[in-house]
């Protein structure tokens, strides 16, 4: 029974409908009980009428009130008094903070141009308004550097687009009709909880659920079979599955002929991909690969849930591109319960966001730029910075700044140092905690420590990033502001209404950017619109048929809205792929144009390439670093169950549940290193190092270690987390991040050793 019943007819309470703001495919709708007398939120639960939420929130957000009313909430604007990173601040008024920030920004723009200002944001909230709503208006008007938001999903997303055409596919409710479900590189029970009930429905009807993952996750344990695989090897598995399916004629010849492009070339490509060859790469026995291929091709309907876990390595784009060829090959798209789901975000691709983000304001900034800078740069203005290379972007070295420019495809050039543009002089961080979550943490911190960098952080809490702020501004939580959300795991839009007044002096991001805009003298009327007006206008601006029936009033009354799609929604049952050819593209001319192999392939992860290069060297040629390569392991760092990236990782309840920053290591790897369960270990590579606690377990494949993330560095034993070892390099597609492709060394620490680094390789491996 829903908690709603406790408050529904009670005049002492209001019940307010909202939505979970977090980076999660489920985009739950919630209800909040507010005590009318005190104005305080007293309870919060999943909306009982939302067909995906089904009355249930996850364990983290079920405790959202503890976040909103946390004793450490930032409640007043703060100005730095200590050294950078010391985290010492004094209280100031909003008037003083806004006026001084605007003054500093104007001075920087005057001297270096607006590109010296870098916004840095990601997924603290996915709301249209508190995410990039007012912020993009502000930064467009300024002409600030733009940020390529690549940290999560870009490689796989691009790979999916090359094959399927848009980020759409199966909806979660249709998994209930599957007879075979491959959960491939996803920990559903942790990162996508609301898919599970549909999977359970399918199992009740006899479906089998297989999990393909380097780790025996809680999802793998709850499934019928765990198929352990080495990280970054998934494309090799998919190619061998296609080899078996094609050579045994198990494919859907009719579907292939009508709705796919490039079958002949695919046949040729997969010929060499025998299960035996694949087994060497994946670690999955050849018989198991062949049996999996047969089961997948002959069970109807068969579904695949891939998530972003499997694309955080160098070949991540190609891996997703290759796996997503499978459903078309066997005709799985024909039936309800067949196909693949990566993300549903493409269902919303027809949203018109121009009124919200106001890209036209950039024109004003461009005109000003041309007026001010007689010698205008040869590259496009403003530059686009890849967020995964924040450490490089914050360097003062033009070569590194050039490297930080976004270059998502092989054909995109890296600018010369002369074209790199000004150093970043102001960094404005909101909805993000880069000191914890970004690759190459040591470089990021080095940048944040720069005395000449002016850093403004909008936050709920004093995160590691906030410690480096010159101004730390208190932001409201989801209970305190308006917003609107679209899901990336289903087809619903949800409205969030504020339930309570802002805690302390906190303000919504939208209001902070609004006030900054006024102080900067930006006079466009869009900076005068209220939050409600902005959202209402955004909703009313939608004309695509998918939004037919969506009105502001309806959202106010009902709280959520399903896209106007047929039920069931079988987008590719008869082809109609949104690719250039209208078919599922086994052969992609667009890939060829962009500098890729146009056919599905296996692109080895970076750790494999390092191993191969090492093997090719003569002993005499090996540097000191390479000499110790034998002990190298690959490190992956998927989400800890109770954290959401670095969010909730300062909540006593969830810290207690996760205990401490662990490193999972197989007994086979622990034994020769004399690592005992529970021992402190140092994990290191050329980028940095972190101290973790060993969990010796067979739940991770040999050769790989797993560090659940993302811990706050300041709550870690040596003040550093696993992103010390994450390389900043770009994945094959979309300049995506390599969180699960770090080559590391692991050794036990005795207490006296805590400060003595065994390997100081920085620079050595960077050369490779
Ligand atoms: N509780 C919780 N929920 C979350 C998040 C969180 O931090 N905590 N994060 C949210 C975010 S930001 C996102 S993007 C989404 C998706 O979150 P993701 O981080 O993409 O999580 P998953 O998709 O579940 O993928 C993680 C799984 O992939 C496995 N994996 C790692 N490398 C490979 C590989 O090379 N091959 C294969 N087959 N598997 C591999 C890991 O062992 C892990 O089980 O979830 C969201 N939901
Ligand atoms: N090692 C490793 N690193 C990873 C990953 C991994 O799997 N392993 N996952 C990566 C992925 S998939 C992602 S998506 C990124 C996510 O990285 P981030 O985008 O940094 O997400 P969070 O760590 O959740 O931090 C969000 C911050 O925003 C703040 N916030 C929330 N709401 C608001 C608001 O309304 N206003 C303001 N001003 N602030 C707000 C929160 O307090 C929190 O500190 O991390 C990446 N980093
Ligand atoms: S984090 Fe995900 S599962 Fe949890 S409440 Fe939010 S949307 Fe739902
Ligand atoms: Mo993410």
């Amino acid at each position: 029974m829903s908690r709603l019943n406790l408050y529904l007819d009670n005049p002492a309470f209001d019940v307010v409908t909202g939505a979970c703001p977090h980076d999660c495919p489920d985009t739950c709708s919630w209800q909040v009980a507010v005590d009318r007398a005190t104005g305080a939120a007293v309870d919060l639960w999943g909306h009982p009428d939302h067909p995906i939420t089904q009355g249930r929130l996850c364990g983290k957000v079920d405790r959202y009130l503890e976040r909103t009313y946390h004793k450490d909430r930032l409640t007043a604007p703060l100005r730095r008094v200590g050294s950078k990173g010391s985290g010492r601040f004094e209280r100031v008024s909003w008037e003083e903070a806004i006026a001084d920030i605007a003054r500093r920004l104007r001075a920087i723009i005057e001297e270096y141009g607006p590109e010296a200002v870098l916004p840095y944001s990601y997924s603290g909230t996915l709301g249209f308004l508190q995410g990039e709503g007012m912020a993009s208006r502000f930064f467009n008007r300024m002409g600030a550097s733009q940020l390529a938001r690549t940290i999560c999903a870009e490689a796989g997303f691009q790979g999916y687009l090359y094959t399927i055409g848009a980020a759409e596919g199966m909806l979660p409710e249709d998994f209930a009709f599957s007879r075979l479900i491959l959960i491939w590189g996803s920990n559903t029970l942790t990162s996508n909880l609301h898919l599970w009930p549909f999977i359970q429905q399918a199992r009740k009807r006899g479906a089998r659920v297989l999990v393909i993952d380097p780790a025996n996750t809680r999802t793998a344990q709850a499934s019928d079979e765990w198929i352990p695989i080495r990280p970054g090897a998934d494309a090799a598995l998919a190619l061998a599955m296609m080899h078996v399916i094609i050579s045994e004629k198990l494919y859907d010849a009719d579907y292939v002929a009508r709705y796919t492009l490039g079958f002949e070339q695919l046949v040729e490509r997969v010929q060499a991909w025998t299960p035996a060859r694949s087994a060497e790469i994946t670690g999955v026995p050849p018989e198991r690969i062949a049996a999996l291929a047969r089961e997948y091709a002959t069970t109807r309907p068969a579904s695949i849930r891939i998530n972003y876990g499997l694309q955080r390595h160098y070949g991540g784009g190609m891996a997703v591109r290759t796996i997503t060829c499978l459903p078309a090959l066997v005709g799985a798209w024909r039936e309800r319960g067949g196909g693949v789901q990566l993300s549903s975000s493409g269902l919303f691709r027809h949203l018109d966001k121009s009124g919200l983000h106001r890209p036209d304001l950039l024109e004003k900034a461009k005109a000003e730029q041309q007026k001010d800078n007689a010698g205008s740069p040869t590259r496009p203005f403003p530059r686009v910075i890849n967020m995964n290379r924040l450490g490089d972007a914050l360097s003062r070295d033009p070569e590194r700044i050039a490297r930080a420019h976004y270059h998502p495809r092989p054909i995109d050039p890296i600018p010369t140092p002369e074209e790199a543009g000004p150093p970043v002089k102001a960094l404005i961080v909101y909805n993000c905690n880069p000191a914890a979550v970004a690759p190459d943490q040591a470089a990021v911190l080095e940048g944040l420590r720069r005395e000449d960098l002016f850093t403004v952080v909008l936050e709920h809490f004093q995160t590691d990033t906030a410690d480096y702020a010159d101004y730390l501004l208190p932001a409201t939580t989801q209970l305190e502001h308006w917003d609107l959300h679209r899901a990336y795991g289903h087809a619903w839009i949800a409205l969030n209404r504020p339930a309570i007044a802002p805690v302390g002096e906190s303000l919504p991001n939208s209001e902070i950017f609004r006030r900054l805009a006024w102080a900067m003298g930006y006079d466009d009327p869009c900076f005068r619109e209220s939050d409600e007006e902005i959202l209402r206008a955004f909703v009313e601006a939608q004309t695509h048929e998918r939004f037919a029936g969506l009105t502001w009033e309806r959202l106010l009354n009902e709280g959520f809205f399903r896209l106007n799609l047929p039920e069931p929604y079988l987008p590719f049952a008869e082809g109609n792929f949104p690719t250039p050819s209208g078919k599922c593209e086994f052969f992609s001319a667009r890939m060829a144009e962009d500098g890729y192999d146009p056919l599905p392939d296996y692109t080895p992860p970076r750790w494999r390439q390092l191993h191969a290069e090492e093997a090719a060297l003569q002993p005499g040629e090996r540097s000191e670093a390479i000499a110790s390569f034998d002990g190298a392991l690959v490190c992956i760092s998927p989400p800890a169950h109770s954290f959401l990236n670095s969010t909730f990782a300062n909540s006593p309840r969830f810290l207690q549940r996760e205990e401490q920053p662990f490193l999972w290591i197989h007994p086979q790897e622990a034994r020769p290193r004399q690592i005992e369960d529970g021992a402190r270990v140092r994990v290191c590579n050329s980028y940095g190092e972190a101290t973790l606690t060993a969990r010796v377990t067979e739940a991770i494949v040999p050769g790989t270690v797993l560090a659940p993330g993302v811990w706050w560095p300041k709550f870690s034993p040596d003040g550093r987390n696993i992103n010390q070892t994450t390389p900043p390099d770009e994945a094959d597609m979309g300049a995506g991040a390599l969180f699960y492709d770090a080559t590391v060394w692991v050794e036990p620490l005795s207490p006296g050793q805590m400060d003595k680094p065994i390997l100081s390789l920085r620079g050595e491996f960077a050369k490779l």
Side-chain angles (χ1 to χ4, degrees), residues 23 67 122-125 151-152 312 430-433 437 458-461 463 475-476 481 509 637-639 644-647 710 722-723 739-740:
D23 188 343
R67 182 171 173 81
Y122 201 65
S123 69
T125 165
I151 204 165
C152 169
R312 296 198 178 106
Y430 52 103
N431 304 335
C432 200
N433 186 9
V437 306
L458 286 60
E459 250 302 346
H460 296 157
F461 294 103
T463 58
T476 45
H481 55 227
N509 292 345
S637 50
L644 211 147
N645 300 316
S646 76
T647 301
V710 179
I722 197 64
N723 280 326
F739 291 110
Y740 306 167

CSV table of all heavy atoms in Angstrom, one decimal, residues 23 67 122-125 151-152 312 430-433 437 458-461 463 475-476 481 509 637-639 644-647 710 722-723 739-740, ligand 2:
chain,number,residue,atom,x,y,z
A,23,ASP,N,21.0,11.0,-12.3
A,23,ASP,CA,21.4,10.4,-13.6
A,23,ASP,C,21.2,8.9,-13.5
A,23,ASP,O,22.0,8.1,-13.0
A,23,ASP,CB,22.9,10.7,-13.7
A,23,ASP,CG,23.4,10.2,-15.1
A,23,ASP,OD1,22.7,9.4,-15.8
A,23,ASP,OD2,24.5,10.7,-15.5
A,67,ARG,N,19.1,13.8,2.5
A,67,ARG,CA,20.0,14.6,1.7
A,67,ARG,C,19.6,16.1,1.9
A,67,ARG,O,20.4,17.0,2.2
A,67,ARG,CB,19.9,14.2,0.3
A,67,ARG,CG,20.9,14.9,-0.6
A,67,ARG,CD,20.9,14.3,-2.0
A,67,ARG,NE,21.8,15.2,-2.9
A,67,ARG,CZ,23.1,15.2,-2.9
A,67,ARG,NH1,23.7,14.3,-2.1
A,67,ARG,NH2,23.7,16.0,-3.7
A,122,TYR,N,27.7,18.4,-15.2
A,122,TYR,CA,27.2,17.1,-15.8
A,122,TYR,C,25.9,16.7,-15.1
A,122,TYR,O,24.9,17.4,-15.4
A,122,TYR,CB,28.3,16.0,-15.8
A,122,TYR,CG,27.9,15.0,-16.9
A,122,TYR,CD1,27.8,15.3,-18.2
A,122,TYR,CD2,27.4,13.7,-16.5
A,122,TYR,CE1,27.4,14.4,-19.2
A,122,TYR,CE2,27.0,12.8,-17.4
A,122,TYR,CZ,26.9,13.2,-18.8
A,122,TYR,OH,26.5,12.3,-19.7
A,123,SER,N,25.9,15.7,-14.3
A,123,SER,CA,24.7,15.1,-14.0
A,123,SER,C,24.1,15.1,-12.6
A,123,SER,O,23.4,14.3,-12.2
A,123,SER,CB,24.8,13.6,-14.5
A,123,SER,OG,25.6,12.9,-13.6
A,124,GLY,N,24.5,16.2,-11.8
A,124,GLY,CA,23.9,16.3,-10.5
A,124,GLY,C,22.4,16.3,-10.6
A,124,GLY,O,21.7,15.7,-9.8
A,125,THR,N,21.9,17.0,-11.6
A,125,THR,CA,20.5,16.9,-12.0
A,125,THR,C,20.4,16.8,-13.5
A,125,THR,O,21.2,17.5,-14.2
A,125,THR,CB,19.7,18.1,-11.5
A,125,THR,OG1,18.4,18.1,-12.1
A,125,THR,CG2,20.3,19.5,-11.7
A,151,ILE,N,31.5,12.5,-20.5
A,151,ILE,CA,32.1,11.7,-19.4
A,151,ILE,C,31.4,10.4,-19.2
A,151,ILE,O,32.0,9.5,-18.6
A,151,ILE,CB,32.1,12.5,-18.1
A,151,ILE,CG1,33.2,12.0,-17.1
A,151,ILE,CG2,30.7,12.5,-17.4
A,151,ILE,CD1,33.5,13.0,-16.0
A,152,CYS,N,30.2,10.2,-19.8
A,152,CYS,CA,29.4,9.0,-19.4
A,152,CYS,C,29.2,8.1,-20.6
A,152,CYS,O,29.5,6.9,-20.5
A,152,CYS,CB,28.1,9.5,-18.9
A,152,CYS,SG,26.8,8.2,-18.7
A,312,ARG,N,33.1,2.0,-21.6
A,312,ARG,CA,34.1,2.9,-21.0
A,312,ARG,C,35.5,2.5,-21.2
A,312,ARG,O,36.3,2.4,-20.3
A,312,ARG,CB,33.8,3.1,-19.5
A,312,ARG,CG,32.4,3.7,-19.3
A,312,ARG,CD,32.2,4.3,-18.0
A,312,ARG,NE,30.9,4.9,-18.0
A,312,ARG,CZ,29.8,4.4,-17.4
A,312,ARG,NH1,29.9,3.3,-16.6
A,312,ARG,NH2,28.6,5.0,-17.5
A,430,TYR,N,28.9,23.4,-11.9
A,430,TYR,CA,27.6,23.2,-11.3
A,430,TYR,C,27.2,21.8,-11.6
A,430,TYR,O,27.5,21.3,-12.7
A,430,TYR,CB,26.6,24.2,-11.8
A,430,TYR,CG,26.5,24.4,-13.3
A,430,TYR,CD1,25.5,23.8,-14.0
A,430,TYR,CD2,27.5,25.1,-14.0
A,430,TYR,CE1,25.4,23.9,-15.4
A,430,TYR,CE2,27.4,25.2,-15.4
A,430,TYR,CZ,26.4,24.6,-16.1
A,430,TYR,OH,26.4,24.7,-17.4
A,431,ASN,N,26.4,21.2,-10.8
A,431,ASN,CA,25.9,19.8,-11.0
A,431,ASN,C,27.0,18.8,-11.3
A,431,ASN,O,26.8,17.8,-12.0
A,431,ASN,CB,25.0,19.7,-12.2
A,431,ASN,CG,23.8,20.7,-12.1
A,431,ASN,OD1,23.4,21.0,-11.0
A,431,ASN,ND2,23.2,21.1,-13.2
A,432,CYS,N,28.2,19.0,-10.7
A,432,CYS,CA,29.3,18.1,-11.0
A,432,CYS,C,30.4,18.2,-9.9
A,432,CYS,O,30.5,19.2,-9.3
A,432,CYS,CB,29.9,18.6,-12.4
A,432,CYS,SG,30.9,17.3,-13.2
A,433,ASN,N,31.1,17.1,-9.8
A,433,ASN,CA,32.1,17.0,-8.8
A,433,ASN,C,33.4,16.5,-9.4
A,433,ASN,O,33.9,15.4,-9.2
A,433,ASN,CB,31.6,16.0,-7.7
A,433,ASN,CG,32.6,16.0,-6.5
A,433,ASN,OD1,33.5,16.7,-6.4
A,433,ASN,ND2,32.3,15.0,-5.7
A,437,VAL,N,35.2,12.7,-9.9
A,437,VAL,CA,34.7,11.9,-10.9
A,437,VAL,C,35.4,11.9,-12.2
A,437,VAL,O,35.3,11.1,-13.1
A,437,VAL,CB,33.2,12.2,-11.3
A,437,VAL,CG1,32.3,12.1,-10.0
A,437,VAL,CG2,33.0,13.5,-12.0
A,458,LEU,N,28.8,25.8,-7.6
A,458,LEU,CA,27.4,25.8,-7.1
A,458,LEU,C,27.2,24.4,-6.6
A,458,LEU,O,27.3,23.4,-7.4
A,458,LEU,CB,26.4,26.1,-8.3
A,458,LEU,CG,26.3,27.5,-8.8
A,458,LEU,CD1,27.6,28.0,-9.4
A,458,LEU,CD2,25.2,27.5,-9.9
A,459,GLU,N,26.8,24.2,-5.4
A,459,GLU,CA,26.7,22.9,-4.8
A,459,GLU,C,25.7,22.8,-3.6
A,459,GLU,O,25.3,23.8,-3.1
A,459,GLU,CB,28.1,22.5,-4.2
A,459,GLU,CG,28.8,21.4,-5.0
A,459,GLU,CD,28.1,20.1,-5.1
A,459,GLU,OE1,27.1,19.8,-4.4
A,459,GLU,OE2,28.5,19.2,-5.9
A,460,HIS,N,25.4,21.5,-3.3
A,460,HIS,CA,24.6,21.2,-2.1
A,460,HIS,C,25.6,21.1,-0.9
A,460,HIS,O,25.2,21.3,0.2
A,460,HIS,CB,23.9,19.9,-2.2
A,460,HIS,CG,22.8,19.9,-3.3
A,460,HIS,ND1,22.3,18.8,-3.9
A,460,HIS,CD2,22.1,21.0,-3.9
A,460,HIS,CE1,21.4,19.1,-4.8
A,460,HIS,NE2,21.3,20.4,-4.8
A,461,PHE,N,26.8,20.5,-1.2
A,461,PHE,CA,27.7,20.1,-0.2
A,461,PHE,C,29.1,20.6,-0.5
A,461,PHE,O,29.4,20.9,-1.6
A,461,PHE,CB,27.7,18.6,0.0
A,461,PHE,CG,26.4,18.1,0.5
A,461,PHE,CD1,25.5,17.5,-0.4
A,461,PHE,CD2,26.0,18.2,1.8
A,461,PHE,CE1,24.3,17.0,0.1
A,461,PHE,CE2,24.8,17.8,2.3
A,461,PHE,CZ,23.9,17.1,1.4
A,463,THR,N,32.0,19.4,-1.4
A,463,THR,CA,32.7,18.3,-2.1
A,463,THR,C,34.2,18.6,-2.2
A,463,THR,O,34.6,19.7,-1.9
A,463,THR,CB,32.1,18.1,-3.5
A,463,THR,OG1,32.4,19.4,-4.2
A,463,THR,CG2,30.6,17.8,-3.5
A,475,ALA,N,23.2,25.7,-3.5
A,475,ALA,CA,22.1,25.4,-4.5
A,475,ALA,C,21.0,24.6,-3.8
A,475,ALA,O,21.2,23.9,-2.9
A,475,ALA,CB,22.7,24.6,-5.7
A,476,THR,N,19.8,24.8,-4.3
A,476,THR,CA,18.6,24.1,-3.8
A,476,THR,C,18.6,22.6,-4.3
A,476,THR,O,19.2,22.3,-5.3
A,476,THR,CB,17.3,24.7,-4.3
A,476,THR,OG1,17.5,25.0,-5.7
A,476,THR,CG2,17.0,26.0,-3.6
A,481,HIS,N,12.9,23.3,-5.8
A,481,HIS,CA,12.8,24.0,-7.1
A,481,HIS,C,12.0,23.3,-8.1
A,481,HIS,O,11.6,22.1,-8.0
A,481,HIS,CB,14.2,24.3,-7.6
A,481,HIS,CG,15.1,23.2,-7.9
A,481,HIS,ND1,16.4,23.1,-7.4
A,481,HIS,CD2,14.9,21.9,-8.4
A,481,HIS,CE1,17.0,22.0,-7.8
A,481,HIS,NE2,16.1,21.2,-8.4
A,509,ASN,N,19.9,26.7,-9.3
A,509,ASN,CA,20.9,27.1,-10.3
A,509,ASN,C,20.3,28.2,-11.2
A,509,ASN,O,21.0,29.1,-11.6
A,509,ASN,CB,21.3,25.9,-11.2
A,509,ASN,CG,22.0,24.8,-10.4
A,509,ASN,OD1,22.5,25.0,-9.3
A,509,ASN,ND2,22.1,23.6,-11.0
A,637,SER,N,35.9,0.5,-12.6
A,637,SER,CA,35.4,1.1,-11.3
A,637,SER,C,33.9,1.4,-11.5
A,637,SER,O,33.5,2.6,-11.5
A,637,SER,CB,36.2,2.3,-11.0
A,637,SER,OG,36.3,3.2,-12.1
A,638,PRO,N,33.1,0.4,-11.6
A,638,PRO,CA,31.6,0.6,-11.8
A,638,PRO,C,31.0,1.1,-10.5
A,638,PRO,O,31.6,1.0,-9.4
A,638,PRO,CB,31.1,-0.7,-12.2
A,638,PRO,CG,32.1,-1.7,-11.7
A,638,PRO,CD,33.4,-1.1,-11.7
A,639,PRO,N,29.7,1.6,-10.6
A,639,PRO,CA,29.1,2.2,-9.4
A,639,PRO,C,29.0,1.3,-8.2
A,639,PRO,O,28.6,0.1,-8.3
A,639,PRO,CB,27.7,2.5,-9.9
A,639,PRO,CG,27.8,2.6,-11.4
A,639,PRO,CD,28.9,1.6,-11.8
A,644,LEU,N,25.5,7.2,-6.1
A,644,LEU,CA,25.1,7.5,-7.5
A,644,LEU,C,26.2,8.4,-8.0
A,644,LEU,O,26.3,9.6,-7.7
A,644,LEU,CB,23.8,8.2,-7.5
A,644,LEU,CG,23.0,7.9,-8.8
A,644,LEU,CD1,21.6,7.8,-8.6
A,644,LEU,CD2,23.4,8.8,-9.9
A,645,ASN,N,27.2,7.8,-8.7
A,645,ASN,CA,28.4,8.5,-9.0
A,645,ASN,C,29.0,9.0,-7.6
A,645,ASN,O,29.0,8.2,-6.7
A,645,ASN,CB,28.3,9.6,-10.0
A,645,ASN,CG,27.7,8.9,-11.3
A,645,ASN,OD1,28.3,7.9,-11.7
A,645,ASN,ND2,26.7,9.5,-12.0
A,646,SER,N,29.3,10.3,-7.5
A,646,SER,CA,29.8,10.6,-6.1
A,646,SER,C,28.7,11.2,-5.2
A,646,SER,O,28.9,11.6,-4.1
A,646,SER,CB,30.9,11.7,-6.3
A,646,SER,OG,30.4,12.9,-6.6
A,647,THR,N,27.4,11.2,-5.8
A,647,THR,CA,26.3,11.7,-4.9
A,647,THR,C,25.9,10.6,-3.9
A,647,THR,O,26.1,9.4,-4.2
A,647,THR,CB,25.1,12.0,-5.9
A,647,THR,OG1,25.5,13.0,-6.8
A,647,THR,CG2,23.9,12.5,-5.1
A,710,VAL,N,31.6,6.0,-6.8
A,710,VAL,CA,32.8,6.9,-6.8
A,710,VAL,C,32.9,7.5,-5.4
A,710,VAL,O,32.0,8.3,-5.0
A,710,VAL,CB,32.6,8.0,-7.8
A,710,VAL,CG1,33.8,9.0,-7.8
A,710,VAL,CG2,32.4,7.5,-9.2
A,722,ILE,N,40.0,6.3,-7.0
A,722,ILE,CA,40.5,5.5,-8.1
A,722,ILE,C,40.7,6.3,-9.4
A,722,ILE,O,41.4,5.9,-10.3
A,722,ILE,CB,39.5,4.3,-8.3
A,722,ILE,CG1,40.2,3.2,-9.2
A,722,ILE,CG2,38.2,4.7,-8.9
A,722,ILE,CD1,41.4,2.6,-8.5
A,723,ASN,N,40.0,7.4,-9.5
A,723,ASN,CA,40.3,8.2,-10.7
A,723,ASN,C,41.7,8.8,-10.8
A,723,ASN,O,42.0,9.4,-11.9
A,723,ASN,CB,39.2,9.3,-10.9
A,723,ASN,CG,37.9,8.6,-11.5
A,723,ASN,OD1,38.0,7.7,-12.3
A,723,ASN,ND2,36.7,9.1,-11.0
A,739,PHE,N,37.0,5.0,-18.1
A,739,PHE,CA,37.0,4.7,-16.7
A,739,PHE,C,37.3,3.2,-16.5
A,739,PHE,O,37.8,2.8,-15.4
A,739,PHE,CB,35.7,5.0,-16.1
A,739,PHE,CG,35.5,6.5,-16.0
A,739,PHE,CD1,34.5,7.1,-16.7
A,739,PHE,CD2,36.2,7.3,-15.1
A,739,PHE,CE1,34.3,8.5,-16.6
A,739,PHE,CE2,36.0,8.6,-15.0
A,739,PHE,CZ,35.0,9.2,-15.8
A,740,TYR,N,37.0,2.3,-17.5
A,740,TYR,CA,37.1,0.9,-17.3
A,740,TYR,C,38.3,0.4,-18.1
A,740,TYR,O,38.2,-0.8,-18.6
A,740,TYR,CB,35.8,0.1,-17.5
A,740,TYR,CG,34.6,0.6,-16.7
A,740,TYR,CD1,33.4,0.3,-17.0
A,740,TYR,CD2,34.8,1.5,-15.6
A,740,TYR,CE1,32.3,0.7,-16.3
A,740,TYR,CE2,33.8,2.0,-14.9
A,740,TYR,CZ,32.5,1.6,-15.2
A,740,TYR,OH,31.4,2.1,-14.5
B,2,LIG,N1,35.9,5.9,-11.7
B,2,LIG,C1,34.7,6.2,-12.2
B,2,LIG,N2,34.4,7.5,-12.4
B,2,LIG,C2,33.3,7.8,-12.9
B,2,LIG,C3,32.3,6.8,-13.3
B,2,LIG,C4,32.6,5.5,-13.0
B,2,LIG,O1,31.8,4.6,-13.3
B,2,LIG,N3,33.9,5.2,-12.5
B,2,LIG,N4,31.1,7.2,-13.9
B,2,LIG,C5,31.1,8.4,-14.7
B,2,LIG,C6,29.8,8.7,-15.1
B,2,LIG,S1,28.9,7.6,-15.9
B,2,LIG,C7,29.2,9.9,-14.8
B,2,LIG,S2,27.7,10.3,-15.4
B,2,LIG,C8,30.0,10.9,-14.0
B,2,LIG,C9,29.0,11.7,-13.1
B,2,LIG,O2,29.7,12.7,-12.4
B,2,LIG,P1,29.0,14.0,-11.8
B,2,LIG,O3,28.3,14.7,-12.9
B,2,LIG,O4,30.0,14.8,-11.1
B,2,LIG,O5,27.9,13.4,-10.9
B,2,LIG,P2,28.0,13.2,-9.3
B,2,LIG,O6,29.2,12.6,-8.8
B,2,LIG,O7,26.7,12.6,-8.9
B,2,LIG,O8,28.0,14.7,-8.7
B,2,LIG,C10,27.0,15.6,-9.0
B,2,LIG,C11,27.1,16.8,-8.0
B,2,LIG,O9,26.1,17.8,-8.3
B,2,LIG,C12,25.5,18.2,-7.2
B,2,LIG,N5,24.1,18.6,-7.5
B,2,LIG,C13,23.1,17.9,-7.5
B,2,LIG,N6,22.0,18.6,-7.8
B,2,LIG,C14,22.4,19.9,-7.9
B,2,LIG,C15,21.7,21.1,-8.2
B,2,LIG,O10,20.5,21.2,-8.4
B,2,LIG,N7,22.5,22.2,-8.3
B,2,LIG,C16,23.8,22.2,-8.1
B,2,LIG,N8,24.5,23.3,-8.2
B,2,LIG,N9,24.5,21.0,-7.8
B,2,LIG,C17,23.8,19.9,-7.7
B,2,LIG,C18,25.6,17.1,-6.2
B,2,LIG,O11,25.6,17.6,-4.9
B,2,LIG,C19,26.9,16.4,-6.6
B,2,LIG,O12,28.0,16.8,-5.8
B,2,LIG,O13,31.0,10.3,-13.2
B,2,LIG,C20,31.9,9.6,-14.0
B,2,LIG,N10,33.0,9.1,-13.2
